[in-house]
Amino acid sequence: MSLKVVILAAGKGTRMKSNLPKVLQPLAGKPLLQHVIDTAQHLHSDNIVAVVGHGAELVKTHVTGLNLEFVLQEQQLGTGHAVQQVQSHFEDDDTVLILYGDVPLTKLTTLTRLLNLVEEQYPLALLTITLNDSNGYGRIIRDNQGEVLAIVEQKDANPEQCCIKEVNTGILAAKGYWLKRWIDQLTNQNSQGEYYLTDVIALAVREGFKIATTHPETELEVLGVNDKLQLHTLEREYQRLLVNDLMLNGVTILDAHRVDIRGQVTAGRDVEVDVNVVFEGQISLGDNVRIGANCYLKDVTILANTVIHPFSHLESCQIGEECIIGPYARLRPGTQLANQVKIGNFVETKKAVIGKDSKVNHLSYIGDTVMGTGVNIGAGTITCNYDGVNKHVTHIGNNVFVGSDTQLIAPVNIGHDATIGAGSTITKDVPSGELTLSRSKQLTLQGWKKPVKKSHKLR
Ligand code: UD1
Ligand code: MG
């Protein structure tokens, strides 16, 4: 006996009006379908089978998961037809869980509750919810004792059935044997000419079975996405949950509506985040870290007491303790800052390993560089790392002082304690402890006269 998860993801999503298949539309930066796969992954199922159709090739290459398989449903003839495509994947005594690729936020606890019903006794269990506005959903038909009799799709429902507020979320669990038996009997004799998965309920009832039902804790868990407006609604609600979690973990958020999390953020104590900050990928913030307004951070680790001033952009970098970054700094992949480093305004770094207490305070480009401790880089310094074909490395020793407006033409080594005069173009290695500069001598032309403006009057 084992668990098989089936995710229906073949539909076109016409109302998205997008070239991207619906299940690949991003929610918090991650495809809708990937959310479903990630949740399913926690159920420890034997395998997860995604039924793909519209945009199948694209879908296959944009989602991943352990034991994830894809089955093609060439023509989308309905949810029942979709499940028919995968029935060879389940054994009689398997428990099968059906999920939808466009319903991304169902909680693990809710799914576990549903699965327990099947594992304990019922051949089929449904996740239903009561909504104020049941428009568009299949309605749950119950008898006088409250037992489920059938699901009627809205397009097939009579006016009385249309008033029913309890609806089918689409998510169900069933024993493999029974599910196979009932989906074999589906027909497409309905208003949409589709094979409805929902018809298995009436088939089960006809064989004398009781149908178990359970409900999600919140409506958000079963909200599906059909158009960009619904996608936006879900995005905002989900973001709010993520930000709430951060706040409950002690992070100070200046405005919960103006922080977006597209990945995982872990934070120490007394972290503060100002407005309009976007976190992407894996973010780790140490104690007392402060992130200023309008910053973008992707895959960044920042150790304790560091301050990121406003309008800074950091990607794939590691920042030590007590650093001061920005405002307007751009730290590109491969930047590694030791403790107490300062990176100032309009400075770009890339593959730059910078030692403790070093400062690059203004208007510089530091790329492919290994810098020691206590270095001071003057304004406008550029490591010229690219010769048009290859990249080269600049090594800067401890306690070097580089004067403003210097170009360091890599590959080049600057010895420790060297000083480089402002305005230099350094093409050769610089010895330790000396002053090196390359600068043409300053001239003053004695008696030179300023030009006088000519008269352009026509005679
Ligand atoms: C379905 C349910 C309805 C329920 C609603 C919840 C049926 C017949 N109806 O209706 O009771 O209230 O979901 O949102 O099941 N899909 C395929 N192949 C197909 C058709 C659909 O993979 O041939 C996938 C879609 O990509 C989607 C899911 O199945 O992820 C649901 O399909 P959709 O067409 O949205 O069904 P609804 O009409 O919303
Ligand atoms: Mg739908």
Side-chain angles (χ1 to χ4, degrees), residues 106-152:
T106 320
K107 279 196 184 146
L108 212 54
T109 47
T110 300
L111 296 177
T112 307
R113 218 163 45 242
L114 185 74
L115 289 169
N116 285 344
L117 290 169
V118 171
E119 263 143 32
E120 280 156 17
Q121 55 166 320
Y122 293 91
L124 201 154
L126 279 180
L127 189 67
T128 76
I129 187 170
T130 301
L131 298 176
N132 283 333
D133 178 9
S134 55
N135 191 34
Y137 288 92
R139 309 297 202 277
I140 307 292
I141 312 296
R142 292 182 185 263
D143 66 13
N144 294 337
Q145 274 76 52
E147 297 297 339
V148 174
L149 294 177
I151 296 176
V152 176

mmCIF file of all heavy atoms in Angstrom, residues 106-152:
data_model
loop_
_atom_site.group_PDB
_atom_site.id
_atom_site.type_symbol
_atom_site.label_atom_id
_atom_site.label_comp_id
_atom_site.label_asym_id
_atom_site.label_seq_id
_atom_site.Cartn_x
_atom_site.Cartn_y
_atom_site.Cartn_z
ATOM 1 N N THR A 106 -2.747 24.775 -1.019
ATOM 2 C CA THR A 106 -3.376 23.824 -0.099
ATOM 3 C C THR A 106 -2.362 23.391 0.957
ATOM 4 O O THR A 106 -1.215 23.097 0.645
ATOM 5 C CB THR A 106 -3.877 22.585 -0.864
ATOM 6 O OG1 THR A 106 -4.450 23.014 -2.092
ATOM 7 C CG2 THR A 106 -4.909 21.831 -0.054
ATOM 8 N N LYS A 107 -2.829 23.364 2.206
ATOM 9 C CA LYS A 107 -1.905 23.033 3.298
ATOM 10 C C LYS A 107 -1.718 21.532 3.438
ATOM 11 O O LYS A 107 -2.639 20.753 3.196
ATOM 12 C CB LYS A 107 -2.459 23.577 4.617
ATOM 13 C CG LYS A 107 -2.188 25.029 4.815
ATOM 14 C CD LYS A 107 -2.423 25.366 6.286
ATOM 15 C CE LYS A 107 -2.265 26.845 6.525
ATOM 16 N NZ LYS A 107 -3.187 27.306 7.572
ATOM 17 N N LEU A 108 -0.552 21.186 3.883
ATOM 18 C CA LEU A 108 -0.207 19.788 4.123
ATOM 19 C C LEU A 108 -1.171 19.140 5.125
ATOM 20 O O LEU A 108 -1.613 18.001 4.942
ATOM 21 C CB LEU A 108 1.213 19.757 4.690
ATOM 22 C CG LEU A 108 2.071 18.572 4.370
ATOM 23 C CD1 LEU A 108 2.149 18.328 2.893
ATOM 24 C CD2 LEU A 108 3.461 18.808 4.953
ATOM 25 N N THR A 109 -1.529 19.894 6.180
ATOM 26 C CA THR A 109 -2.412 19.334 7.219
ATOM 27 C C THR A 109 -3.783 18.995 6.623
ATOM 28 O O THR A 109 -4.394 17.991 6.986
ATOM 29 C CB THR A 109 -2.599 20.351 8.360
ATOM 30 O OG1 THR A 109 -2.889 21.619 7.785
ATOM 31 C CG2 THR A 109 -1.362 20.458 9.220
ATOM 32 N N THR A 110 -4.242 19.838 5.703
ATOM 33 C CA THR A 110 -5.546 19.584 5.076
ATOM 34 C C THR A 110 -5.478 18.314 4.228
ATOM 35 O O THR A 110 -6.374 17.464 4.291
ATOM 36 C CB THR A 110 -5.923 20.792 4.187
ATOM 37 O OG1 THR A 110 -5.995 21.935 5.024
ATOM 38 C CG2 THR A 110 -7.231 20.578 3.468
ATOM 39 N N LEU A 111 -4.409 18.170 3.463
ATOM 40 C CA LEU A 111 -4.274 16.996 2.602
ATOM 41 C C LEU A 111 -4.127 15.727 3.445
ATOM 42 O O LEU A 111 -4.680 14.681 3.104
ATOM 43 C CB LEU A 111 -3.078 17.161 1.661
ATOM 44 C CG LEU A 111 -3.202 18.315 0.653
ATOM 45 C CD1 LEU A 111 -1.933 18.444 -0.174
ATOM 46 C CD2 LEU A 111 -4.415 18.118 -0.256
ATOM 47 N N THR A 112 -3.405 15.852 4.538
ATOM 48 C CA THR A 112 -3.218 14.688 5.407
ATOM 49 C C THR A 112 -4.553 14.239 5.985
ATOM 50 O O THR A 112 -4.854 13.047 6.055
ATOM 51 C CB THR A 112 -2.235 15.040 6.546
ATOM 52 O OG1 THR A 112 -1.058 15.568 5.957
ATOM 53 C CG2 THR A 112 -1.881 13.829 7.369
ATOM 54 N N ARG A 113 -5.373 15.222 6.384
ATOM 55 C CA ARG A 113 -6.703 14.900 6.914
ATOM 56 C C ARG A 113 -7.528 14.141 5.879
ATOM 57 O O ARG A 113 -8.189 13.152 6.171
ATOM 58 C CB ARG A 113 -7.396 16.212 7.292
ATOM 59 C CG ARG A 113 -8.216 16.133 8.523
ATOM 60 C CD ARG A 113 -8.557 17.491 9.126
ATOM 61 N NE ARG A 113 -8.982 18.482 8.179
ATOM 62 C CZ ARG A 113 -8.337 19.622 7.962
ATOM 63 N NH1 ARG A 113 -7.226 19.895 8.609
ATOM 64 N NH2 ARG A 113 -8.792 20.492 7.092
ATOM 65 N N LEU A 114 -7.446 14.614 4.633
ATOM 66 C CA LEU A 114 -8.195 13.975 3.540
ATOM 67 C C LEU A 114 -7.691 12.549 3.321
ATOM 68 O O LEU A 114 -8.484 11.605 3.203
ATOM 69 C CB LEU A 114 -8.009 14.817 2.263
ATOM 70 C CG LEU A 114 -8.808 14.398 1.044
ATOM 71 C CD1 LEU A 114 -10.275 14.768 1.217
ATOM 72 C CD2 LEU A 114 -8.263 15.085 -0.215
ATOM 73 N N LEU A 115 -6.388 12.385 3.312
ATOM 74 C CA LEU A 115 -5.794 11.060 3.063
ATOM 75 C C LEU A 115 -6.121 10.080 4.180
ATOM 76 O O LEU A 115 -6.358 8.898 3.927
ATOM 77 C CB LEU A 115 -4.275 11.194 2.895
ATOM 78 C CG LEU A 115 -3.837 11.857 1.597
ATOM 79 C CD1 LEU A 115 -2.354 12.185 1.632
ATOM 80 C CD2 LEU A 115 -4.153 10.957 0.409
ATOM 81 N N ASN A 116 -6.147 10.590 5.405
ATOM 82 C CA ASN A 116 -6.461 9.708 6.535
ATOM 83 C C ASN A 116 -7.833 9.072 6.378
ATOM 84 O O ASN A 116 -8.039 7.912 6.748
ATOM 85 C CB ASN A 116 -6.394 10.475 7.862
ATOM 86 C CG ASN A 116 -4.949 10.728 8.255
ATOM 87 O OD1 ASN A 116 -4.036 10.098 7.726
ATOM 88 N ND2 ASN A 116 -4.746 11.667 9.159
ATOM 89 N N LEU A 117 -8.785 9.838 5.837
ATOM 90 C CA LEU A 117 -10.147 9.310 5.661
ATOM 91 C C LEU A 117 -10.124 8.075 4.766
ATOM 92 O O LEU A 117 -10.804 7.085 5.019
ATOM 93 C CB LEU A 117 -11.051 10.391 5.051
ATOM 94 C CG LEU A 117 -11.387 11.572 5.964
ATOM 95 C CD1 LEU A 117 -12.051 12.687 5.185
ATOM 96 C CD2 LEU A 117 -12.291 11.110 7.106
ATOM 97 N N VAL A 118 -9.308 8.146 3.705
ATOM 98 C CA VAL A 118 -9.233 7.013 2.774
ATOM 99 C C VAL A 118 -8.427 5.880 3.388
ATOM 100 O O VAL A 118 -8.800 4.706 3.282
ATOM 101 C CB VAL A 118 -8.629 7.464 1.424
ATOM 102 C CG1 VAL A 118 -8.347 6.268 0.525
ATOM 103 C CG2 VAL A 118 -9.570 8.442 0.745
ATOM 104 N N GLU A 119 -7.340 6.256 4.060
ATOM 105 C CA GLU A 119 -6.518 5.195 4.640
ATOM 106 C C GLU A 119 -7.268 4.461 5.752
ATOM 107 O O GLU A 119 -7.089 3.266 5.950
ATOM 108 C CB GLU A 119 -5.179 5.758 5.127
ATOM 109 C CG GLU A 119 -4.099 5.527 4.069
ATOM 110 C CD GLU A 119 -3.095 6.651 3.951
ATOM 111 O OE1 GLU A 119 -2.814 7.300 4.959
ATOM 112 O OE2 GLU A 119 -2.602 6.871 2.819
ATOM 113 N N GLU A 120 -8.137 5.178 6.454
ATOM 114 C CA GLU A 120 -8.850 4.539 7.560
ATOM 115 C C GLU A 120 -10.008 3.655 7.086
ATOM 116 O O GLU A 120 -10.137 2.520 7.502
ATOM 117 C CB GLU A 120 -9.360 5.589 8.548
ATOM 118 C CG GLU A 120 -8.246 6.061 9.477
ATOM 119 C CD GLU A 120 -8.513 7.441 10.058
ATOM 120 O OE1 GLU A 120 -9.666 7.901 10.025
ATOM 121 O OE2 GLU A 120 -7.542 8.057 10.541
ATOM 122 N N GLN A 121 -10.879 4.197 6.203
ATOM 123 C CA GLN A 121 -12.009 3.343 5.811
ATOM 124 C C GLN A 121 -12.698 3.693 4.500
ATOM 125 O O GLN A 121 -13.213 2.804 3.841
ATOM 126 C CB GLN A 121 -13.047 3.327 6.940
ATOM 127 C CG GLN A 121 -13.527 4.712 7.357
ATOM 128 C CD GLN A 121 -14.778 4.653 8.217
ATOM 129 O OE1 GLN A 121 -15.660 3.849 7.955
ATOM 130 N NE2 GLN A 121 -14.851 5.501 9.232
ATOM 131 N N TYR A 122 -12.733 4.928 4.109
ATOM 132 C CA TYR A 122 -13.579 5.279 2.962
ATOM 133 C C TYR A 122 -12.876 5.016 1.619
ATOM 134 O O TYR A 122 -11.671 5.256 1.502
ATOM 135 C CB TYR A 122 -13.942 6.770 3.028
ATOM 136 C CG TYR A 122 -14.831 7.131 4.193
ATOM 137 C CD1 TYR A 122 -14.285 7.524 5.410
ATOM 138 C CD2 TYR A 122 -16.218 7.060 4.075
ATOM 139 C CE1 TYR A 122 -15.097 7.852 6.484
ATOM 140 C CE2 TYR A 122 -17.030 7.386 5.142
ATOM 141 C CZ TYR A 122 -16.466 7.787 6.349
ATOM 142 O OH TYR A 122 -17.273 8.101 7.399
ATOM 143 N N PRO A 123 -13.614 4.566 0.615
ATOM 144 C CA PRO A 123 -12.978 4.394 -0.699
ATOM 145 C C PRO A 123 -12.717 5.734 -1.394
ATOM 146 O O PRO A 123 -11.870 5.819 -2.276
ATOM 147 C CB PRO A 123 -13.989 3.565 -1.493
ATOM 148 C CG PRO A 123 -15.301 3.830 -0.846
ATOM 149 C CD PRO A 123 -15.020 4.106 0.600
ATOM 150 N N LEU A 124 -13.451 6.780 -0.946
ATOM 151 C CA LEU A 124 -13.317 8.073 -1.618
ATOM 152 C C LEU A 124 -13.598 9.213 -0.642
ATOM 153 O O LEU A 124 -14.573 9.151 0.117
ATOM 154 C CB LEU A 124 -14.329 8.120 -2.779
ATOM 155 C CG LEU A 124 -14.072 9.103 -3.914
ATOM 156 C CD1 LEU A 124 -14.725 8.606 -5.176
ATOM 157 C CD2 LEU A 124 -14.546 10.499 -3.599
ATOM 158 N N ALA A 125 -12.727 10.213 -0.634
ATOM 159 C CA ALA A 125 -12.929 11.369 0.243
ATOM 160 C C ALA A 125 -12.737 12.653 -0.558
ATOM 161 O O ALA A 125 -11.853 12.738 -1.405
ATOM 162 C CB ALA A 125 -11.945 11.328 1.415
ATOM 163 N N LEU A 126 -13.593 13.614 -0.254
ATOM 164 C CA LEU A 126 -13.606 14.865 -1.018
ATOM 165 C C LEU A 126 -13.231 16.043 -0.137
ATOM 166 O O LEU A 126 -13.630 16.089 1.028
ATOM 167 C CB LEU A 126 -15.039 15.166 -1.464
ATOM 168 C CG LEU A 126 -15.632 14.494 -2.673
ATOM 169 C CD1 LEU A 126 -17.064 15.004 -2.832
ATOM 170 C CD2 LEU A 126 -14.808 14.849 -3.905
ATOM 171 N N LEU A 127 -12.535 17.001 -0.729
ATOM 172 C CA LEU A 127 -12.287 18.264 -0.032
ATOM 173 C C LEU A 127 -13.317 19.261 -0.554
ATOM 174 O O LEU A 127 -13.305 19.601 -1.736
ATOM 175 C CB LEU A 127 -10.863 18.750 -0.325
ATOM 176 C CG LEU A 127 -10.387 19.934 0.490
ATOM 177 C CD1 LEU A 127 -10.241 19.555 1.962
ATOM 178 C CD2 LEU A 127 -9.048 20.439 -0.048
ATOM 179 N N THR A 128 -14.199 19.675 0.330
ATOM 180 C CA THR A 128 -15.235 20.622 -0.109
ATOM 181 C C THR A 128 -15.146 21.883 0.737
ATOM 182 O O THR A 128 -14.516 21.892 1.797
ATOM 183 C CB THR A 128 -16.656 20.042 0.043
ATOM 184 O OG1 THR A 128 -17.029 20.071 1.432
ATOM 185 C CG2 THR A 128 -16.745 18.615 -0.485
ATOM 186 N N ILE A 129 -15.810 22.923 0.260
ATOM 187 C CA ILE A 129 -15.825 24.180 1.027
ATOM 188 C C ILE A 129 -17.146 24.898 0.777
ATOM 189 O O ILE A 129 -17.725 24.777 -0.320
ATOM 190 C CB ILE A 129 -14.619 25.073 0.660
ATOM 191 C CG1 ILE A 129 -14.551 26.305 1.576
ATOM 192 C CG2 ILE A 129 -14.659 25.496 -0.807
ATOM 193 C CD1 ILE A 129 -13.269 27.106 1.444
ATOM 194 N N THR A 130 -17.593 25.612 1.787
ATOM 195 C CA THR A 130 -18.826 26.395 1.626
ATOM 196 C C THR A 130 -18.448 27.845 1.344
ATOM 197 O O THR A 130 -17.677 28.449 2.093
ATOM 198 C CB THR A 130 -19.686 26.290 2.903
ATOM 199 O OG1 THR A 130 -19.969 24.904 3.108
ATOM 200 C CG2 THR A 130 -20.982 27.065 2.770
ATOM 201 N N LEU A 131 -18.948 28.332 0.232
ATOM 202 C CA LEU A 131 -18.580 29.686 -0.208
ATOM 203 C C LEU A 131 -19.816 30.573 -0.296
ATOM 204 O O LEU A 131 -20.900 30.092 -0.635
ATOM 205 C CB LEU A 131 -17.946 29.625 -1.604
ATOM 206 C CG LEU A 131 -16.653 28.840 -1.777
ATOM 207 C CD1 LEU A 131 -16.247 28.838 -3.246
ATOM 208 C CD2 LEU A 131 -15.535 29.447 -0.931
ATOM 209 N N ASN A 132 -19.639 31.853 -0.041
ATOM 210 C CA ASN A 132 -20.742 32.792 -0.264
ATOM 211 C C ASN A 132 -21.073 32.864 -1.736
ATOM 212 O O ASN A 132 -22.224 32.904 -2.135
ATOM 213 C CB ASN A 132 -20.354 34.194 0.216
ATOM 214 C CG ASN A 132 -20.431 34.266 1.719
ATOM 215 O OD1 ASN A 132 -21.204 33.529 2.336
ATOM 216 N ND2 ASN A 132 -19.604 35.126 2.303
ATOM 217 N N ASP A 133 -20.029 32.880 -2.551
ATOM 218 C CA ASP A 133 -20.225 32.939 -4.003
ATOM 219 C C ASP A 133 -19.713 31.624 -4.598
ATOM 220 O O ASP A 133 -18.514 31.432 -4.749
ATOM 221 C CB ASP A 133 -19.441 34.133 -4.558
ATOM 222 C CG ASP A 133 -19.563 34.219 -6.065
ATOM 223 O OD1 ASP A 133 -20.385 33.468 -6.638
ATOM 224 O OD2 ASP A 133 -18.828 35.028 -6.661
ATOM 225 N N SER A 134 -20.642 30.745 -4.924
ATOM 226 C CA SER A 134 -20.234 29.420 -5.424
ATOM 227 C C SER A 134 -20.157 29.383 -6.945
ATOM 228 O O SER A 134 -19.994 28.320 -7.541
ATOM 229 C CB SER A 134 -21.204 28.360 -4.903
ATOM 230 O OG SER A 134 -22.527 28.706 -5.242
ATOM 231 N N ASN A 135 -20.251 30.545 -7.549
ATOM 232 C CA ASN A 135 -20.272 30.628 -9.008
ATOM 233 C C ASN A 135 -19.067 29.939 -9.655
ATOM 234 O O ASN A 135 -17.929 30.179 -9.268
ATOM 235 C CB ASN A 135 -20.309 32.118 -9.408
ATOM 236 C CG ASN A 135 -20.598 32.276 -10.882
ATOM 237 O OD1 ASN A 135 -21.345 31.488 -11.460
ATOM 238 N ND2 ASN A 135 -19.990 33.278 -11.495
ATOM 239 N N GLY A 136 -19.347 29.100 -10.637
ATOM 240 C CA GLY A 136 -18.276 28.463 -11.404
ATOM 241 C C GLY A 136 -17.882 27.086 -10.900
ATOM 242 O O GLY A 136 -17.247 26.324 -11.617
ATOM 243 N N TYR A 137 -18.225 26.772 -9.681
ATOM 244 C CA TYR A 137 -17.795 25.496 -9.085
ATOM 245 C C TYR A 137 -18.841 24.397 -9.261
ATOM 246 O O TYR A 137 -20.030 24.671 -9.428
ATOM 247 C CB TYR A 137 -17.574 25.682 -7.586
ATOM 248 C CG TYR A 137 -16.345 26.480 -7.228
ATOM 249 C CD1 TYR A 137 -16.418 27.855 -7.060
ATOM 250 C CD2 TYR A 137 -15.121 25.856 -7.045
ATOM 251 C CE1 TYR A 137 -15.289 28.594 -6.707
ATOM 252 C CE2 TYR A 137 -13.993 26.579 -6.700
ATOM 253 C CZ TYR A 137 -14.087 27.951 -6.532
ATOM 254 O OH TYR A 137 -12.983 28.672 -6.189
ATOM 255 N N GLY A 138 -18.363 23.157 -9.135
ATOM 256 C CA GLY A 138 -19.281 22.025 -9.040
ATOM 257 C C GLY A 138 -19.944 22.049 -7.674
ATOM 258 O O GLY A 138 -19.298 22.329 -6.661
ATOM 259 N N ARG A 139 -21.265 21.786 -7.630
ATOM 260 C CA ARG A 139 -22.002 21.839 -6.352
ATOM 261 C C ARG A 139 -22.085 20.448 -5.726
ATOM 262 O O ARG A 139 -22.251 19.439 -6.432
ATOM 263 C CB ARG A 139 -23.427 22.368 -6.571
ATOM 264 C CG ARG A 139 -23.534 23.672 -7.344
ATOM 265 C CD ARG A 139 -22.867 24.837 -6.623
ATOM 266 N NE ARG A 139 -23.421 26.099 -7.090
ATOM 267 C CZ ARG A 139 -23.034 26.740 -8.191
ATOM 268 N NH1 ARG A 139 -22.056 26.243 -8.935
ATOM 269 N NH2 ARG A 139 -23.608 27.878 -8.551
ATOM 270 N N ILE A 140 -21.997 20.423 -4.394
ATOM 271 C CA ILE A 140 -22.087 19.165 -3.654
ATOM 272 C C ILE A 140 -23.559 18.893 -3.332
ATOM 273 O O ILE A 140 -24.199 19.685 -2.640
ATOM 274 C CB ILE A 140 -21.283 19.236 -2.327
ATOM 275 C CG1 ILE A 140 -19.834 19.679 -2.588
ATOM 276 C CG2 ILE A 140 -21.351 17.904 -1.576
ATOM 277 C CD1 ILE A 140 -18.978 18.706 -3.345
ATOM 278 N N ILE A 141 -24.060 17.781 -3.846
ATOM 279 C CA ILE A 141 -25.464 17.414 -3.602
ATOM 280 C C ILE A 141 -25.496 16.407 -2.447
ATOM 281 O O ILE A 141 -24.821 15.380 -2.503
ATOM 282 C CB ILE A 141 -26.082 16.750 -4.861
ATOM 283 C CG1 ILE A 141 -25.785 17.576 -6.133
ATOM 284 C CG2 ILE A 141 -27.581 16.507 -4.676
ATOM 285 C CD1 ILE A 141 -26.395 18.951 -6.166
ATOM 286 N N ARG A 142 -26.260 16.745 -1.405
ATOM 287 C CA ARG A 142 -26.389 15.844 -0.250
ATOM 288 C C ARG A 142 -27.845 15.441 -0.059
ATOM 289 O O ARG A 142 -28.756 16.191 -0.443
ATOM 290 C CB ARG A 142 -25.876 16.533 1.026
ATOM 291 C CG ARG A 142 -24.367 16.776 1.044
ATOM 292 C CD ARG A 142 -23.951 17.406 2.366
ATOM 293 N NE ARG A 142 -22.526 17.765 2.388
ATOM 294 C CZ ARG A 142 -21.555 17.003 2.922
ATOM 295 N NH1 ARG A 142 -21.841 15.836 3.453
ATOM 296 N NH2 ARG A 142 -20.304 17.418 2.919
ATOM 297 N N ASP A 143 -28.058 14.276 0.577
ATOM 298 C CA ASP A 143 -29.439 13.866 0.866
ATOM 299 C C ASP A 143 -29.888 14.451 2.217
ATOM 300 O O ASP A 143 -29.140 15.217 2.836
ATOM 301 C CB ASP A 143 -29.577 12.334 0.818
ATOM 302 C CG ASP A 143 -28.796 11.648 1.939
ATOM 303 O OD1 ASP A 143 -28.361 12.345 2.891
ATOM 304 O OD2 ASP A 143 -28.606 10.421 1.852
ATOM 305 N N ASN A 144 -31.106 14.058 2.644
ATOM 306 C CA ASN A 144 -31.658 14.621 3.892
ATOM 307 C C ASN A 144 -30.804 14.303 5.111
ATOM 308 O O ASN A 144 -30.796 15.045 6.083
ATOM 309 C CB ASN A 144 -33.077 14.090 4.140
ATOM 310 C CG ASN A 144 -34.010 14.600 3.061
ATOM 311 O OD1 ASN A 144 -33.718 15.630 2.436
ATOM 312 N ND2 ASN A 144 -35.104 13.891 2.825
ATOM 313 N N GLN A 145 -30.096 13.177 5.049
ATOM 314 C CA GLN A 145 -29.219 12.813 6.173
ATOM 315 C C GLN A 145 -27.861 13.519 6.085
ATOM 316 O O GLN A 145 -27.001 13.306 6.923
ATOM 317 C CB GLN A 145 -28.974 11.298 6.196
ATOM 318 C CG GLN A 145 -30.033 10.506 6.944
ATOM 319 C CD GLN A 145 -31.308 10.361 6.126
ATOM 320 O OE1 GLN A 145 -31.248 9.937 4.979
ATOM 321 N NE2 GLN A 145 -32.429 10.755 6.695
ATOM 322 N N GLY A 146 -27.695 14.278 5.021
ATOM 323 C CA GLY A 146 -26.422 14.984 4.861
ATOM 324 C C GLY A 146 -25.357 14.157 4.152
ATOM 325 O O GLY A 146 -24.195 14.570 4.071
ATOM 326 N N GLU A 147 -25.735 12.979 3.637
ATOM 327 C CA GLU A 147 -24.742 12.172 2.914
ATOM 328 C C GLU A 147 -24.572 12.693 1.482
ATOM 329 O O GLU A 147 -25.555 13.066 0.834
ATOM 330 C CB GLU A 147 -25.185 10.702 2.854
ATOM 331 C CG GLU A 147 -25.309 10.014 4.203
ATOM 332 C CD GLU A 147 -23.992 9.909 4.956
ATOM 333 O OE1 GLU A 147 -22.914 9.990 4.314
ATOM 334 O OE2 GLU A 147 -24.038 9.761 6.202
ATOM 335 N N VAL A 148 -23.324 12.697 1.014
ATOM 336 C CA VAL A 148 -23.072 13.177 -0.353
ATOM 337 C C VAL A 148 -23.654 12.184 -1.364
ATOM 338 O O VAL A 148 -23.446 10.968 -1.257
ATOM 339 C CB VAL A 148 -21.551 13.328 -0.598
ATOM 340 C CG1 VAL A 148 -21.269 13.682 -2.058
ATOM 341 C CG2 VAL A 148 -20.968 14.402 0.310
ATOM 342 N N LEU A 149 -24.365 12.735 -2.338
ATOM 343 C CA LEU A 149 -24.946 11.889 -3.388
ATOM 344 C C LEU A 149 -24.198 12.049 -4.709
ATOM 345 O O LEU A 149 -24.026 11.095 -5.464
ATOM 346 C CB LEU A 149 -26.415 12.270 -3.621
ATOM 347 C CG LEU A 149 -27.398 12.017 -2.491
ATOM 348 C CD1 LEU A 149 -28.792 12.516 -2.880
ATOM 349 C CD2 LEU A 149 -27.440 10.517 -2.163
ATOM 350 N N ALA A 150 -23.782 13.282 -4.996
ATOM 351 C CA ALA A 150 -23.180 13.545 -6.307
ATOM 352 C C ALA A 150 -22.561 14.942 -6.313
ATOM 353 O O ALA A 150 -22.768 15.735 -5.381
ATOM 354 C CB ALA A 150 -24.252 13.474 -7.394
ATOM 355 N N ILE A 151 -21.785 15.194 -7.389
ATOM 356 C CA ILE A 151 -21.363 16.572 -7.668
ATOM 357 C C ILE A 151 -21.997 16.948 -9.001
ATOM 358 O O ILE A 151 -21.931 16.174 -9.961
ATOM 359 C CB ILE A 151 -19.833 16.686 -7.789
ATOM 360 C CG1 ILE A 151 -19.172 16.332 -6.443
ATOM 361 C CG2 ILE A 151 -19.425 18.090 -8.226
ATOM 362 C CD1 ILE A 151 -17.657 16.327 -6.497
ATOM 363 N N VAL A 152 -22.606 18.100 -9.023
ATOM 364 C CA VAL A 152 -23.184 18.572 -10.284
ATOM 365 C C VAL A 152 -22.426 19.818 -10.721
ATOM 366 O O VAL A 152 -22.295 20.777 -9.941
ATOM 367 C CB VAL A 152 -24.690 18.888 -10.124
ATOM 368 C CG1 VAL A 152 -25.247 19.465 -11.416
ATOM 369 C CG2 VAL A 152 -25.453 17.631 -9.742
#
